[in-house]
Amino acid sequence: MPIIGANGLLVLVPMAFFLESRAAAGQFDATFYSLQVVELLAGATNLVLMGLNMRDGIRLSGKAAPTTQVTLTSSETIATGTMAFHLTKPAGFQHQAGQWIRLTIAGTAAADGKASSRILSIVSAPDEPQITVATRLSDSAFKRSLSTLPDGAELTVAGPSGTFTLHEDASRPAVFIAGGIGITPFMSMLRDVTATKAPHKIALFYSNRAPAAAPFLSELEELQKANSNIQLIATMTDLDAHDGWVGETSKIDQDMLRRHLGELDAPIYYCVGPAGMVTATQKMLSAAGVAEQDIRVESFTGY
């Protein structure tokens, strides 16, 4: 889009005014026709770029991805107001840790006028025999329907899609920053690096209101024990007296990162969570001097 805008402002608009003035003066010379060719080429370039932008937008929405039928094998509550759903894996289905699917339930749109599908990150690692997703529940027709589906229910899956995946260069550590249900793509990555014995060093900063509201907290503690390359820094920001939490209790900020990481310019940072948290984290990391290309984010919207 920046190239399209610059092409329009710096080439197409000035060229149009110039050619109009030459035409009004009757100056249809070689310069006029040469510039007209340039204008046509610039216009064609913009049309091609806009078409590519539309294509990429459709791909990112998951609406152009192939669809297939899956079966719900089981579901479970994994935290307060949060459930995980285990689905059969279609033949040939392959995903990278960190990718997502679009899950559709037939007949849920009419109830509240909202979409009958949601984009959900895949929790399961690529080598697991089933697809697992998890979501925070809400009053939407989709979430109500999903939470009450019986085992054996048929759903439609599109995907996998997405580019929020772990970098290949294991010499650079990764820092994961997650809020609440934003942990889901990181679960797939952490399960995968543990199963494949990948050498990446990963520090996970995980923020929740309280332990009961933290999806997969127990599994994350076990993954840290099983994989010496994983460091878990969990923080609870709205504790009750009976919670008995002895870890971090503040929001994830520069001070917390420096206490656990030291220098902040070596890792590549990944952040997932509600849009407000993601934006605030981007600003915090930029203010700490982290390069823009070393910050990778994904926002969860439309709960």
Side-chain angles (χ1 to χ4, degrees), residues 44-77:
T45 299
N46 265 14
L47 288 173
V48 170
L49 290 174
M50 285 189 287
L52 292 174
N53 274 339
M54 291 175 64
R55 180 204 64 187
D56 291 342
I58 292 172
R59 285 180 177 176
L60 286 173
S61 72
K63 294 178 180 178
T67 61
T68 187
Q69 295 299 115
V70 297
T71 301
L72 177 67
T73 58
S74 65
S75 60
E76 59 184 315
T77 297

Side-chain angles (χ1 to χ4, degrees), residues 255-273:
D255 177 65
M256 184 184 294
L257 293 178
R258 291 188 190 281
R259 281 192 285 108
H260 292 278
L261 302 175
E263 295 300 319
L264 302 185
D265 56 355
I268 294 178
Y269 294 82
Y270 299 78
C271 180
V272 184

Side-chain angles (χ1 to χ4, degrees), residues 85 105-108 111 140-150:
F85 302 87
I105 307 173
T108 59
S140 73
F142 178 89
K143 296 292 183 70
R144 290 198 306 271
S145 295
L146 183 61
S147 66
T148 57
L149 284 177

Side-chain angles (χ1 to χ4, degrees), residues 186-208:
F186 294 141
M187 288 304 304
S188 182
M189 294 183 196
L190 293 170
R191 289 179 178 183
D192 187 44
V193 297
T194 300
T196 61
K197 297 183 174 11
H200 294 74
K201 291 189 177 298
I202 301 172
L204 167 63
F205 291 81
Y206 185 27
S207 178
N208 287 275

Side-chain angles (χ1 to χ4, degrees), residues 96 165-174 193 198-201 268 270 296:
Q96 293 178 276
T165 55
L166 186 62
H167 60 276
E168 294 184 0
D169 182 6
S171 68
R172 296 198 65 183
V193 297
H200 294 74
K201 291 189 177 298
I268 294 178
Y270 299 78
R296 304 176 185 183

